[in-house]
Amino acid sequence: MAGDTTARDDTTADHTVASEAAEFIRGRDARPPRVALILGTGLGGLAERIESPVIVDYADIPHFPPTTVAGHAGRLVLGTLEGMPVAAMRGRFHLYEGYTPAQVVHPLRALRLLGADTLIVTNAAGGLDAAQHAGDLLAIADHIGLPTMAGRNPLLGPNDERFGPRFPAMTAAYDPALRALAHQVAAERGIPLRGGVYAMVSGPNYETPAELRFLKAVGAHAVGMSTVPEVIAARHMGMRVLAISCLTNVVFSDDAGTPAEPDHAEVVAAAEAAGARLGELIAGVLRRLPTP
Ligand code: HPA
């Protein structure tokens, strides 16, 4: 499955592949999206609020691999949300499914070529602080991308300047103004929202107790298996990024360092339970999204 669409020694292929996907999507819906939404595990409900939707199955889009995980649909929903033209990915691609990092970010690159200048991405994550609760929302302020730091990075290989620069900065990867807006919307609506650092692991196994202690010690507040490749590609392409984690399980139930064992079904259920609040938050942000 992996590796058939993208050759790492020829990044022209990445641009060609993203352009072909973008052309196909434009043929289904000519409205250019301003915001790309990536809806994580159990968090796809927001797509149902999109007005005048045009739904495109990933399976129909050139070079989009089919998603493989329970709880991840696999459809692009184009339309307007709170008056904002959006393209929402219901279902995303993960490293643990066997896709290359370039394949993981390929749909986002297509949405960028269609005109999206902002990425709003959500995910399910494990909370690393005993003070957190399942269902809490966390606005990602920074990340630690263990796979991307160690070579599983979507920007590896020759750089294609049409996407962005060779050495993009990640200093303010999570747009401060968008984060401030998210916190403001959350406060106005009584939605608890904290900021924090998201650590990405490749998965698919959940972490060992020693790995969790390590992640906590290096300053992570949440751990998950997605998002960082897309954020890196988005910043490479000059997009603004807002990322919200839904903490589906709290790993340390106490500060003594005894981790609770996560369960995929519980993770999906907790994300679904928090979906309405997260949807309200994102809708509120979209309503007041400043022009970049
Ligand atoms: N670890 C990694 N990824 C996750 C978790 C977790 O505990 N919960 C949801 N996604």
Side-chain angles (χ1 to χ4, degrees), residues 275-292:
R277 249 176 310 134
L278 183 61
E280 204 193 324
L281 177 61
I282 291 175
V285 168
L286 285 175
R287 200 170 303 143
R288 279 150 57 180
L289 197 69
T291 315

Side-chain angles (χ1 to χ4, degrees), residues 47-225:
E48 267 140 42
R49 288 170 54 174
I50 293 177
E51 288 170 32
S52 35
V54 170
I55 299 173
V56 189
D57 283 340
Y58 289 170
D60 294 338
I61 305 174
H63 317 294
F64 270 45
T67 52
T68 64
V69 190
H72 298 267
R75 293 194 291 277
L76 188 64
V77 184
L78 303 133
T80 56
L81 197 53
E82 302 297 330
M84 181 67 63
V86 299
M89 289 179 59
R90 262 200 101 153
R92 60 137 67 92
F93 304 100
H94 304 85
L95 290 181
Y96 63 73
E97 292 173 277
Y99 301 117
T100 65
Q103 285 178 309
V104 167
V105 304
H106 158 65
L108 178 67
R109 285 176 164 163
L111 299 182
R112 173 68 175 141
L113 293 179
L114 286 171
D117 59 37
T118 301
L119 168 65
I120 299 181
V121 50
T122 65
N123 61 45
L128 293 167
D129 290 331
Q132 295 165 330
H133 305 281
D136 283 0
L137 301 180
L138 179 137
I140 301 179
D142 203 345
H143 73 224
I144 299 168
L146 293 167
T148 55
M149 288 169 78
R152 299 280 292 158
N153 189 305
L155 307 186
L156 278 189
N159 185 56
D160 192 324
E161 294 283 334
R162 288 172 293 182
F163 285 131
R166 170 76 289 185
F167 298 109
M170 292 293 144
T171 319
Y174 298 87
D175 191 80
L178 290 186
R179 275 193 289 132
L181 176 58
H183 284 288
Q184 194 181 332
V185 169
E188 284 168 15
R189 287 157 194 257
I191 301 170
L193 180 70
R194 292 211 214 158
V197 174
Y198 175 86
M200 181 197 176
V201 294
S202 77
N205 58 284
Y206 290 110
E207 301 70 37
T208 65
E211 287 167 343
L212 292 167
R213 287 194 299 274
F214 164 77
L215 294 172
K216 204 174 161 173
V218 296
H221 303 100
V223 53
M225 304 176 191

Side-chain angles (χ1 to χ4, degrees), residues 211-257:
E211 287 167 343
L212 292 167
R213 287 194 299 274
F214 164 77
L215 294 172
K216 204 174 161 173
V218 296
H221 303 100
V223 53
M225 304 176 191
S226 67
T227 302
V228 169
E230 294 99 316
V231 170
I232 289 174
R235 294 302 297 148
H236 184 229
M237 298 186 288
M239 300 175 81
R240 294 184 304 179
V241 175
L242 174 67
I244 311 280
S245 287
C246 171
L247 304 183
T248 53
N249 53 297
V250 177
V251 171
F252 293 107
S253 41
D254 58 58
D255 270 328

